[in-house]
Amino acid sequence: MTQTSPNPQSPSGSTVTEAETFLDAHPEIEAFDIVLHDANGIGRGKIIRRHELLGMFKSGRHLPISILGLDICGEDVHETGLIWDEGDGDRRAWPLPGTLRPIHASTPPRGEVLMCVYNLDGTPMSSDPRHALQRQVDALAAEGLHPAGAFELEFFLLANERGPDGKMVPARDVLDGRRNSKTDVYSVDQLHGMLPLFNDIYADAAKAGIKAETLISEFAPGQYELTLHYREDVMQAADDLLRLKRMVRYHARQHGVTACFMAKPNEDYAGSGMHFHVSMLNDAGKNIFIEAVEGQYNAAILHAIGGLRATMAESMLIFAPHANSWRRFASNSYAPVSPTWGVNNRSVALRIPAGDIRARRIEHRPAGVDANAYLVAATVLAGIRHGMAHQMDPGPETTGNGYTDTSDAPPIPVDWRSAIEAAKASSFLKAALGEDMHRTFTAIKAAEYARVMRTVSEVDFDLYLHTV
C-alpha cells in the first residue's frame, strides 16, 4: 500500500493515509479492537467505534501506564513501579503500521490494529515488551546483522466443560460432534473434523497478511500445531504469533470449543511448546549461519549456540513464565530438560534442523506456548549476540538421547521460584530486556508466584486432608 501522508507526530511510523484508505475500502466495519501486549503477552486495549479510528491515527490514544504493570489476572502489581510511583499517569499508544485489518467472521464487522506504547515525548515506553525486542533488533542492525525467523504454535482444542473427574477433555469435532480421545499424532483424518474451525483461522490470518501454513495433529488428544511462514523481519514473526493466538482463541469460541494455550493442561501427555526458528542475515541478505561445506558448521552458528547455552539458565523465566509452565519439563516429553544442542535431534534444547542448507537456522525449543513471543525473541537474540561477541564454544554435540545427556550441560533452574530468583539476579537478562522491562517482568512474576503459593488448591486437600 502506498502511504503518502506520513504523520510526523507518530513515533511508530503509522500514517493517516493507511487509516483513510482502510476506511474507504471497508465501509462495512463498525468498530476496531485496538490491542497492545503486556508482559505476559496478553492482549490489552479497547474496542473503539469507526469514527474514532482517524483521530487515533492522527494523535495516538492515551492509556494509563498501569496497563503494562498487570499480572496474569489483570490486577496491578505495585512493585513494577508503574502504578502509584508514576501516579498511574497516561502514556500514548500509537498504531503499528501494516497491522490494520478486518476480522474474519465478526458480527457486526470489526477490524483490529496493534498498538505500541510511547512516552508523551515520543520516546519508547520501555516496559512495553515490543520495545524490548526492537532494542535487540536495532543492536544487531548496528552490527550489520538482521534476524529472520518464525514461531511454531502448539495448542489444545478442549471441551468447554470439564469431564466427571474435573479434568479437561478434548473438544468434539466441530464438523459432526465426534470425539476422539486417542493421541493420533500426524493423523490426517483426525484433522478433518476440525476443518471448519481451521478454515476460519486460515481465512482470518490471510486478511492480516499472515501466512499460516502446515497443520498437524500433535502428540496428545486434542493437540494441534500450526506453523508460520518464515519472516525476514523477526519483529513481524513475533507479531504473527501473537495475532494468530488471538485468532485461534476467537474462532474456537465461535465454534463452541476452548482453545487452550497452557503449557501443560494434561499431566498424562506432552505439553505445548512455542519453538522459535532463527537465522541471521547480513546487510547483503545472506544467511551467515550457512556453512561452506554441508555438515561442517561454521563459527557463527556454533558461537550463537554457545551463547544460548551459556545464558539459558538465567533466561528460563522468559521461556517458562508461569507455575503451569514448569509441569511441561519432564523426560521423554519433547520438552528439553537441559541446555543441550544437536543436529536433527528433537530431544535437545537447541536443534540444527535437517534440510536445505540454504535454510540453515537454530531451532530454540525451551519456550512454552504460554510465553511472550516478544520477550522470547529478545532474549534469544541477546543470547546469540552474546555468544558471537565472545566467540563462545557450544561444547560437545548431543548425538543420542538429550534427556540422559548431562555430561557438559550447565544446570537450569528446576522450578518456578528458582527461575524467578535467577532472572532477578541476571545482569544478562537486564541488558537483554532493558532495565525497566526486566524490573516490570520479574516483579510481575514474583507477585504471581506469591498468589499461587498462598492459594490452597484441590491437590492440597487430596494429599493432606485425611493423612497429616
Side-chain angles (χ1 to χ4, degrees):
M1 180 185 300
T2 301
Q3 298 178 351
T4 57
S5 302
N7 180 2
Q9 294 187 76
S10 174
S12 71
S14 60
T15 67
V16 176
T17 299
E18 181 178 2
E20 292 171 336
T21 303
F22 186 90
L23 291 172
D24 288 343
H26 297 281
E28 77 284 1
I29 289 183
E30 298 183 11
F32 294 87
D33 296 0
I34 63 170
V35 183
L36 60 90
H37 292 92
D38 68 8
N40 279 312
I42 294 173
R44 309 278 182 191
K46 301 181 178 185
I47 298 178
I48 64 171
R49 306 307 295 172
R50 178 186 179 89
H51 69 269
E52 298 178 88
L53 186 72
L54 275 182
M56 188 179 73
F57 269 76
K58 291 175 181 176
S59 305
R61 186 83 181 205
H62 284 96
L63 291 171
I65 191 175
S66 57
I67 199 170
L68 294 174
L70 303 176
D71 67 9
I72 197 69
C73 298
E75 296 184 6
D76 291 339
V77 177
H78 299 284
E79 292 81 3
T80 62
L82 299 179
I83 318 300
W84 301 125
D85 291 4
E86 296 277 350
D88 197 15
D90 279 349
R91 298 298 186 269
R92 189 172 293 170
W94 286 91
L96 293 171
T99 64
L100 183 58
R101 59 101 180 184
I103 298 175
H104 173 70
S106 55
T107 305
R110 296 196 330 280
E112 178 192 75
V113 63
L114 294 189
M115 310 287 286
C116 205
V117 183
Y118 293 81
N119 295 314
L120 298 182
D121 64 1
T123 57
M125 200 284 149
S126 48
S127 288
D128 185 319
R130 200 173 188 277
H131 289 312
L133 175 53
Q134 190 64 55
R135 289 177 71 253
Q136 291 301 321
V137 171
D138 291 344
L140 283 163
E143 299 166 7
L145 297 173
H146 310 279
F151 289 91
E152 297 174 4
L153 182 67
E154 295 179 355
F155 56 94
F156 284 81
L157 293 176
L158 303 174
N160 292 336
E161 304 297 331
R162 299 187 189 188
D165 58 0
K167 295 183 179 180
M168 304 301 297
V169 295
R172 294 185 181 276
D173 288 351
V174 299
L175 181 67
D176 58 8
R178 187 183 307 175
R179 174 174 288 155
N180 187 345
S181 59
K182 300 189 294 294
T183 297
D184 261 354
V185 65
Y186 285 102
S187 167
V188 176
D189 291 343
Q190 175 69 13
L191 300 176
H192 291 168
M194 289 296 182
L195 278 183
L197 165 56
F198 284 109
N199 288 340
D200 278 339
I201 293 168
Y202 280 118
D204 206 3
K207 288 186 175 182
I210 295 172
K211 293 183 179 180
E213 297 186 326
T214 306
L215 170 67
I216 67 170
S217 175
E218 259 290 357
F219 205 68
Q223 189 184 34
Y224 301 87
E225 179 186 277
L226 270 172
T227 61
L228 286 158
H229 187 71
Y230 215 67
R231 296 286 199 181
E232 290 191 357
D233 177 353
V234 78
M235 182 68 78
Q236 196 169 27
D239 287 341
D240 286 351
L241 189 284
L242 285 161
R243 300 187 88 175
L244 188 61
K245 283 180 73 172
R246 295 189 70 247
M247 292 174 192
V248 171
R249 183 178 285 114
Y250 174 74
H251 291 292
R253 290 185 73 178
Q254 286 193 318
H255 284 273
V257 301
T258 295
C260 175
F261 297 104
M262 292 171 63
K264 186 79 167 178
N266 190 318
E267 66 266 28
D268 297 324
Y269 295 97
S272 293
M274 189 178 70
H275 303 161
F276 179 36
H277 295 252
V278 60
S279 56
M280 198 68 64
L281 310 180
N282 61 20
D283 285 337
K286 180 181 178 182
N287 181 3
I288 68 167
F289 287 166
I290 297 175
E291 64 269 24
V293 178
E294 185 167 2
Q296 297 180 16
Y297 300 105
N298 66 23
I301 197 168
L302 293 176
H303 293 329
I305 291 171
L308 291 171
R309 290 193 73 207
T311 58
M312 191 175 295
E314 57 202 296
S315 304
M316 279 304 297
L317 186 63
I318 300 295
F319 311 139
H322 308 294
N324 179 260
S325 308
W326 292 85
R327 305 192 193 285
R328 176 171 160 260
F329 297 101
S331 292
N332 304 315
S333 64
Y334 291 97
V337 294
S338 61
T340 49
W341 77 278
V343 178
N344 195 22
N345 186 337
R346 285 184 170 83
S347 68
V348 298
L350 304 166
R351 172 178 174 248
I352 298 179
D356 190 334
I357 189 173
R358 292 172 296 180
R360 186 65 70 221
R361 64 194 185 275
I362 298 168
E363 180 186 7
H364 185 273
R365 297 173 59 82
V369 74
D370 56 342
N372 183 329
Y374 295 132
L375 298 184
V376 169
T379 305
V380 169
L381 296 184
I384 289 173
R385 286 182 60 223
H386 180 73
M388 292 195 299
H390 297 281
Q391 300 184 349
M392 301 191 75
D393 186 344
E397 173 193 348
T398 294
T399 56
N401 186 349
Y403 297 113
T404 60
D405 181 4
T406 58
S407 57
D408 187 56
I412 63 174
V414 296
D415 56 34
W416 194 25
R417 180 176 180 177
S418 300
I420 292 171
E421 295 306 315
K424 282 183 178 179
S426 172
S427 56
F428 162 78
L429 201 58
K430 185 178 291 186
L433 303 181
E435 187 172 346
D436 291 339
M437 187 71 248
H438 177 267
R439 182 192 66 249
T440 298
F441 184 76
T442 55
I444 288 171
K445 294 296 109 183
E448 290 174 0
Y449 176 82
R451 177 191 287 268
V452 170
M453 292 308 295
R454 67 173 176 261
T455 300
V456 180
S457 69
E458 190 61 36
V459 73
D460 289 280
F461 292 111
D462 182 53
L463 291 175
Y464 309 122
L465 178 61
H466 299 295
T467 56
V468 295

